[in-house]
Amino acid sequence: MQPMKTTSCLARQFARHGELEAADVEALEDVEREPIGVSAGEVLRTQGSPFSDLVVVREGWTSTWYELGDGNRQVVFVHVSGDIAGLHDLPFEDAMTTTVALTDATVCRMPRRRLTQLIERSPRIAAILVAIQLQQQAILVERLVSLGCRSAIRRTAHLILELDRRRGEAVVASGSGIPLSQRQLADCLGLTEVHVNRCIRQLKEAGAIAVGRNRLDVLDRDALARFARFDPSFLEPSIEYLGGRPEPERI
């Protein structure tokens, strides 16, 4: 397949899962006609507020977290360029989580009714959207396994590798690294900041990462993979069914 000529990060993201028709690309490009610039730390959606639209991350990084009444919070997802924040909120009247910009970012709001129009217009877009949602579910399954079974150092290395692979060729205003502070890593990993600091120091001493102010740079992916025992298959789903080939008959 020839490289897609489009400025739409959403179209490029969809094209990673299946080939798009020109009309599909045009429809996805139309979602990004009115981009909005947001600053690092800006809240895009608040937990418990009426849910009306999805957030397409055009440039930069955002995160989604669930906040408890006592002030503790769990980061549920970190979004990179091309991601859609809020898919898990679609069936509900109120947002389950808060979405906030991790870096200066450019986002596009997609009203829920607009998504419905895209699905009705294109079965291919509908099918790829399902694939994207299932991939997000697979990422959350891995996060659950980390929280329940992996040691602190393994879950830290695993998350860093996941984000490094997912960001792909995305370029963000804060630089090419992963823009997470140790507090944010702690909220992702279910660890204390002290414990995260210990893990980061160990990975740094092993030459696997470099650490800046609220930023991590991956230096040695193989070393990180050894720490994490990382299997990337959850980020590489098979989407052959999108090609329209029939399922093999069962005898």
Side-chain angles (χ1 to χ4, degrees):
M1 184 173 62
Q2 294 295 318
M4 178 178 296
K5 295 180 180 179
T6 179
T7 58
S8 166
C9 68
L10 190 59
R12 291 196 299 270
Q13 182 80 305
F14 272 58
R16 294 188 186 110
H17 295 269
E19 191 169 358
L20 298 172
E21 300 291 338
D24 296 329
V25 175
E26 183 179 350
L28 293 170
E29 287 176 338
D30 191 56
V31 173
E32 298 179 50
R33 298 293 184 200
E34 299 180 3
I36 304 166
V38 296
S39 301
E42 187 170 336
V43 176
L44 305 176
R45 181 186 296 113
T46 304
Q47 182 175 324
S49 64
F51 179 78
S52 60
D53 52 34
L54 298 151
V55 175
V56 178
V57 183
R58 183 167 181 169
E59 295 178 0
W61 298 62
T62 70
S63 70
T64 295
W65 72 58
Y66 186 97
E67 192 161 359
L68 299 174
D70 59 4
N72 289 322
R73 66 191 185 199
Q74 175 68 48
V75 172
V76 178
F77 215 88
V78 177
H79 304 278
V80 301
S81 176
D83 279 351
I84 304 172
L87 285 174
H88 58 273
D89 287 326
L90 272 176
F92 305 104
E93 291 299 318
D94 297 328
M96 295 177 61
T97 52
T98 293
T99 299
V100 63
L102 284 175
T103 66
D104 292 346
T106 303
V107 303
C108 303
R109 295 199 178 267
M110 186 197 303
R112 185 158 33 186
R113 65 180 180 279
R114 180 73 179 109
L115 181 65
T116 302
Q117 291 168 355
L118 286 173
I119 291 171
E120 291 174 345
R121 173 177 176 175
S122 171
R124 173 51 58 97
I125 286 179
I128 293 177
L129 186 65
V130 170
I132 289 172
Q133 176 68 340
L134 292 176
Q135 185 182 46
Q136 286 192 6
Q137 181 176 316
I139 291 169
L140 291 175
V141 168
E142 285 289 338
R143 197 70 50 80
L144 179 62
V145 171
S146 282
L147 292 172
C149 301
R150 292 186 176 112
S151 66
I153 187 67
R154 282 188 65 193
R155 73 176 76 166
T156 302
H158 199 280
L159 176 63
I160 293 172
L161 271 176
E162 175 213 309
L163 295 176
D164 181 62
R165 290 181 68 97
R166 283 180 49 220
R167 66 179 179 159
E169 299 176 356
V171 177
V172 295
S174 60
S176 60
I178 296 170
L180 290 177
S181 67
Q182 292 191 20
R183 163 66 192 280
Q184 290 162 338
L185 281 170
D187 289 340
C188 288
L189 298 168
L191 300 170
T192 65
E193 286 186 68
V194 172
H195 210 158
V196 167
N197 180 272
R198 200 174 299 136
C199 295
I200 292 297
R201 188 167 61 248
Q202 187 175 346
L203 294 172
K204 181 180 176 182
E205 290 171 352
I209 63 171
V211 182
R213 190 174 186 275
N214 296 337
R215 169 178 162 177
L216 298 170
D217 289 285
V218 176
L219 301 180
D220 189 337
R221 292 179 178 84
D222 291 338
L224 272 177
R226 287 193 294 273
F227 274 105
R229 301 177 194 172
F230 190 79
D231 177 0
S233 59
F234 74 103
L235 297 175
E236 302 167 354
S238 172
I239 43 81
E240 289 184 358
Y241 71 93
L242 293 175
R245 287 187 289 273
E247 294 288 335
E249 293 185 8
R250 297 184 181 276
I251 300 176

